[in-house]
Short mmCIF file of all heavy atoms in Angstrom, two decimals:
data_model
loop_
_atom_site.label_atom_id
_atom_site.label_comp_id
_atom_site.label_asym_id
_atom_site.label_seq_id
_atom_site.Cartn_x
_atom_site.Cartn_y
_atom_site.Cartn_z
N ALA T 142 121.56 71.16 -83.82
CA ALA T 142 122.45 70.14 -83.22
C ALA T 142 123.74 70.19 -84.03
O ALA T 142 123.70 70.41 -85.25
CB ALA T 142 121.83 68.76 -83.28
N ARG T 172 118.01 76.17 -79.44
CA ARG T 172 116.72 75.51 -79.30
C ARG T 172 115.80 76.44 -78.54
O ARG T 172 116.16 76.94 -77.47
CB ARG T 172 116.84 74.17 -78.58
CG ARG T 172 117.61 73.18 -79.41
CD ARG T 172 117.72 71.84 -78.76
NE ARG T 172 118.60 70.99 -79.54
CZ ARG T 172 118.89 69.75 -79.23
NH1 ARG T 172 118.39 69.20 -78.14
NH2 ARG T 172 119.71 69.04 -79.99
N GLU T 174 113.67 76.72 -76.21
CA GLU T 174 113.10 76.06 -75.03
C GLU T 174 113.48 76.84 -73.79
O GLU T 174 114.22 76.35 -72.94
CB GLU T 174 113.51 74.58 -74.95
CG GLU T 174 114.98 74.27 -75.16
CD GLU T 174 115.26 72.76 -75.18
OE1 GLU T 174 114.30 71.96 -75.17
OE2 GLU T 174 116.44 72.39 -75.22
N PRO T 179 118.95 76.11 -65.20
CA PRO T 179 120.17 76.59 -65.88
C PRO T 179 120.68 75.60 -66.92
O PRO T 179 121.38 75.99 -67.86
CB PRO T 179 121.18 76.77 -64.74
CG PRO T 179 120.62 76.00 -63.59
CD PRO T 179 119.14 75.97 -63.75
N THR T 180 120.32 74.33 -66.76
CA THR T 180 120.80 73.30 -67.69
C THR T 180 120.04 73.31 -69.02
O THR T 180 120.42 72.60 -69.94
CB THR T 180 120.63 71.91 -67.06
OG1 THR T 180 119.29 71.83 -66.56
CG2 THR T 180 121.62 71.70 -65.93
N ARG T 181 118.95 74.06 -69.09
CA ARG T 181 118.19 74.11 -70.36
C ARG T 181 118.34 75.51 -70.92
O ARG T 181 117.59 76.42 -70.60
CB ARG T 181 116.72 73.73 -70.12
CG ARG T 181 115.97 73.51 -71.44
CD ARG T 181 114.64 72.82 -71.24
NE ARG T 181 114.74 71.50 -70.68
CZ ARG T 181 115.17 70.43 -71.34
NH1 ARG T 181 115.54 70.51 -72.61
NH2 ARG T 181 115.24 69.25 -70.74
N MET T 182 119.35 75.67 -71.74
CA MET T 182 119.64 76.98 -72.34
C MET T 182 119.05 77.03 -73.75
O MET T 182 118.75 76.00 -74.35
CB MET T 182 121.15 77.18 -72.40
CG MET T 182 121.83 77.19 -71.04
SD MET T 182 123.62 77.41 -71.22
CE MET T 182 124.08 77.71 -69.50
N GLN T 183 118.94 78.25 -74.27
CA GLN T 183 118.49 78.38 -75.66
C GLN T 183 119.69 78.37 -76.62
O GLN T 183 119.55 77.99 -77.77
CB GLN T 183 117.67 79.65 -75.85
CG GLN T 183 116.40 79.66 -75.01
CD GLN T 183 115.38 80.64 -75.54
OE1 GLN T 183 114.91 80.53 -76.65
NE2 GLN T 183 115.04 81.62 -74.71
N PHE T 185 123.65 77.02 -76.55
CA PHE T 185 124.59 76.23 -75.77
C PHE T 185 125.52 75.49 -76.74
O PHE T 185 125.23 75.37 -77.93
CB PHE T 185 123.83 75.21 -74.90
CG PHE T 185 122.95 74.29 -75.71
CD1 PHE T 185 123.43 73.04 -76.12
CD2 PHE T 185 121.68 74.66 -76.09
CE1 PHE T 185 122.64 72.18 -76.89
CE2 PHE T 185 120.88 73.82 -76.86
CZ PHE T 185 121.36 72.58 -77.26
N ARG T 186 126.62 74.99 -76.19
CA ARG T 186 127.59 74.30 -77.06
C ARG T 186 127.49 72.78 -76.94
O ARG T 186 127.40 72.24 -75.84
CB ARG T 186 129.01 74.74 -76.74
CG ARG T 186 129.40 75.97 -77.52
CD ARG T 186 130.50 76.70 -76.86
NE ARG T 186 130.06 77.24 -75.57
CZ ARG T 186 130.84 77.95 -74.77
NH1 ARG T 186 132.09 78.18 -75.09
NH2 ARG T 186 130.36 78.42 -73.63
N MET T 187 127.50 72.17 -78.10
CA MET T 187 127.45 70.72 -78.19
C MET T 187 128.72 70.25 -78.90
O MET T 187 129.03 70.68 -80.00
CB MET T 187 126.23 70.32 -79.02
CG MET T 187 125.78 68.89 -78.82
SD MET T 187 124.47 68.46 -79.99
CE MET T 187 123.10 69.41 -79.39
N ASN T 227 114.17 59.44 -75.47
CA ASN T 227 113.59 59.78 -76.78
C ASN T 227 113.71 61.28 -76.99
O ASN T 227 113.86 62.05 -76.03
CB ASN T 227 112.13 59.33 -76.88
CG ASN T 227 111.26 60.00 -75.83
OD1 ASN T 227 111.04 59.45 -74.75
ND2 ASN T 227 110.79 61.19 -76.13
N ASP T 228 113.64 61.69 -78.24
CA ASP T 228 113.65 63.11 -78.55
C ASP T 228 112.23 63.67 -78.38
O ASP T 228 111.25 62.92 -78.48
CB ASP T 228 114.14 63.33 -80.00
CG ASP T 228 115.64 63.07 -80.10
OD1 ASP T 228 116.39 63.61 -79.27
OD2 ASP T 228 116.05 62.32 -81.01
N PRO T 229 112.12 64.97 -78.13
CA PRO T 229 110.80 65.57 -77.87
C PRO T 229 110.05 65.90 -79.16
O PRO T 229 109.80 67.06 -79.47
CB PRO T 229 111.17 66.84 -77.09
CG PRO T 229 112.49 67.24 -77.65
CD PRO T 229 113.20 65.96 -78.00
N LYS T 248 118.16 55.80 -78.74
CA LYS T 248 118.78 56.92 -78.01
C LYS T 248 119.00 56.56 -76.55
O LYS T 248 118.10 56.05 -75.89
CB LYS T 248 117.86 58.15 -78.10
CG LYS T 248 118.45 59.42 -77.47
CD LYS T 248 117.49 60.60 -77.60
CE LYS T 248 118.10 61.88 -77.05
NZ LYS T 248 118.91 62.57 -78.06
N GLU T 250 120.78 58.32 -72.90
CA GLU T 250 121.33 59.53 -72.30
C GLU T 250 122.14 59.16 -71.06
O GLU T 250 121.80 58.18 -70.38
CB GLU T 250 120.20 60.48 -71.88
CG GLU T 250 119.52 61.12 -73.06
CD GLU T 250 118.31 61.97 -72.69
OE1 GLU T 250 117.77 61.82 -71.57
OE2 GLU T 250 117.90 62.77 -73.54
N THR T 262 119.62 65.32 -65.33
CA THR T 262 119.87 66.07 -66.57
C THR T 262 120.71 65.25 -67.54
O THR T 262 121.76 64.71 -67.15
CB THR T 262 120.63 67.37 -66.22
OG1 THR T 262 119.79 68.15 -65.36
CG2 THR T 262 120.96 68.17 -67.45
N ALA T 263 120.28 65.23 -68.79
CA ALA T 263 121.05 64.54 -69.83
C ALA T 263 122.29 65.37 -70.16
O ALA T 263 122.18 66.46 -70.71
CB ALA T 263 120.19 64.36 -71.08
N CYS T 264 123.45 64.84 -69.82
CA CYS T 264 124.69 65.57 -70.08
C CYS T 264 125.37 65.06 -71.34
O CYS T 264 126.08 65.82 -72.01
CB CYS T 264 125.63 65.45 -68.89
SG CYS T 264 125.03 66.34 -67.44
N LEU T 265 125.20 63.79 -71.64
CA LEU T 265 125.70 63.21 -72.89
C LEU T 265 124.54 62.46 -73.53
O LEU T 265 123.67 61.94 -72.83
CB LEU T 265 126.82 62.19 -72.63
CG LEU T 265 128.26 62.67 -72.41
CD1 LEU T 265 128.36 63.49 -71.14
CD2 LEU T 265 129.20 61.47 -72.34
N SER T 266 124.53 62.38 -74.85
CA SER T 266 123.55 61.52 -75.49
C SER T 266 124.20 60.71 -76.59
O SER T 266 125.20 61.13 -77.19
CB SER T 266 122.35 62.31 -76.00
OG SER T 266 122.71 63.10 -77.09
N ASN T 268 123.22 58.53 -79.91
CA ASN T 268 122.11 58.40 -80.85
C ASN T 268 122.46 57.54 -82.05
O ASN T 268 123.46 57.77 -82.72
CB ASN T 268 121.72 59.80 -81.35
CG ASN T 268 121.45 60.77 -80.21
OD1 ASN T 268 120.46 60.64 -79.51
ND2 ASN T 268 122.37 61.70 -80.00
N GLY T 294 126.86 63.10 -78.32
CA GLY T 294 126.84 64.54 -78.06
C GLY T 294 127.17 64.83 -76.61
O GLY T 294 126.63 64.18 -75.71
N PHE T 295 128.06 65.79 -76.40
CA PHE T 295 128.42 66.24 -75.04
C PHE T 295 127.88 67.65 -74.87
O PHE T 295 128.25 68.54 -75.63
CB PHE T 295 129.95 66.30 -74.88
CG PHE T 295 130.65 65.00 -75.11
CD1 PHE T 295 130.91 64.54 -76.39
CD2 PHE T 295 131.05 64.23 -74.03
CE1 PHE T 295 131.56 63.34 -76.60
CE2 PHE T 295 131.71 63.02 -74.23
CZ PHE T 295 131.95 62.58 -75.51
N GLY T 296 127.01 67.85 -73.89
CA GLY T 296 126.52 69.20 -73.60
C GLY T 296 127.55 69.89 -72.72
O GLY T 296 127.64 69.62 -71.53
N LEU T 297 128.34 70.78 -73.32
CA LEU T 297 129.49 71.33 -72.58
C LEU T 297 129.05 72.20 -71.40
O LEU T 297 129.66 72.13 -70.31
CB LEU T 297 130.41 72.11 -73.54
CG LEU T 297 131.06 71.24 -74.63
CD1 LEU T 297 131.90 72.10 -75.57
CD2 LEU T 297 131.93 70.14 -74.00
N GLU T 298 128.00 72.99 -71.58
CA GLU T 298 127.51 73.78 -70.43
C GLU T 298 126.90 72.85 -69.38
O GLU T 298 127.08 73.06 -68.18
CB GLU T 298 126.47 74.81 -70.88
CG GLU T 298 127.06 76.03 -71.59
CD GLU T 298 127.31 75.78 -73.07
OE1 GLU T 298 126.99 74.65 -73.54
OE2 GLU T 298 127.83 76.67 -73.76
N ARG T 299 126.17 71.84 -69.84
CA ARG T 299 125.52 70.95 -68.86
C ARG T 299 126.55 70.21 -68.01
O ARG T 299 126.36 70.05 -66.80
CB ARG T 299 124.61 69.94 -69.56
CG ARG T 299 123.29 70.56 -69.96
CD ARG T 299 122.31 69.51 -70.39
NE ARG T 299 121.04 70.14 -70.76
CZ ARG T 299 120.00 69.46 -71.24
NH1 ARG T 299 120.07 68.15 -71.39
NH2 ARG T 299 118.88 70.09 -71.54
P1 ATP R 1 116.83 66.91 -73.14
O1 ATP R 1 116.09 65.62 -73.16
O2 ATP R 1 117.34 67.29 -71.79
O3 ATP R 1 116.07 68.02 -73.80
P2 ATP R 1 118.09 66.33 -75.57
O4 ATP R 1 117.62 64.94 -75.77
O5 ATP R 1 117.31 67.38 -76.27
O6 ATP R 1 118.16 66.68 -74.02
P3 ATP R 1 120.19 66.07 -77.45
O7 ATP R 1 119.27 66.55 -78.50
O8 ATP R 1 120.57 64.64 -77.48
O9 ATP R 1 119.60 66.42 -76.01
O10 ATP R 1 121.47 67.00 -77.43
C1 ATP R 1 122.79 66.53 -77.15
C2 ATP R 1 123.31 67.11 -75.86
O11 ATP R 1 123.21 68.53 -75.86
C3 ATP R 1 122.50 66.67 -74.64
O12 ATP R 1 122.96 65.44 -74.14
C4 ATP R 1 122.74 67.80 -73.67
O13 ATP R 1 123.92 67.57 -72.93
C5 ATP R 1 122.93 69.01 -74.56
N1 ATP R 1 121.70 69.83 -74.58
C6 ATP R 1 120.52 69.54 -75.21
N2 ATP R 1 119.63 70.53 -75.03
C7 ATP R 1 120.26 71.46 -74.27
C8 ATP R 1 119.86 72.72 -73.73
N3 ATP R 1 118.64 73.22 -73.95
N4 ATP R 1 120.76 73.43 -72.99
C9 ATP R 1 121.99 72.93 -72.76
N5 ATP R 1 122.42 71.76 -73.23
C10 ATP R 1 121.57 71.02 -73.97
#
Side-chain angles (χ1 to χ4, degrees):
R172 293 182 187 180
E174 47 185 7
T180 50
R181 191 166 298 287
M182 298 179 169
Q183 298 200 60
F185 58 94
R186 273 157 295 181
M187 200 187 290
N227 60 266
D228 287 312
K248 184 180 183 86
E250 289 175 342
T262 298
C264 291
L265 278 65
S266 70
N268 307 290
F295 301 80
L297 296 178
E298 285 83 2
R299 281 191 180 177

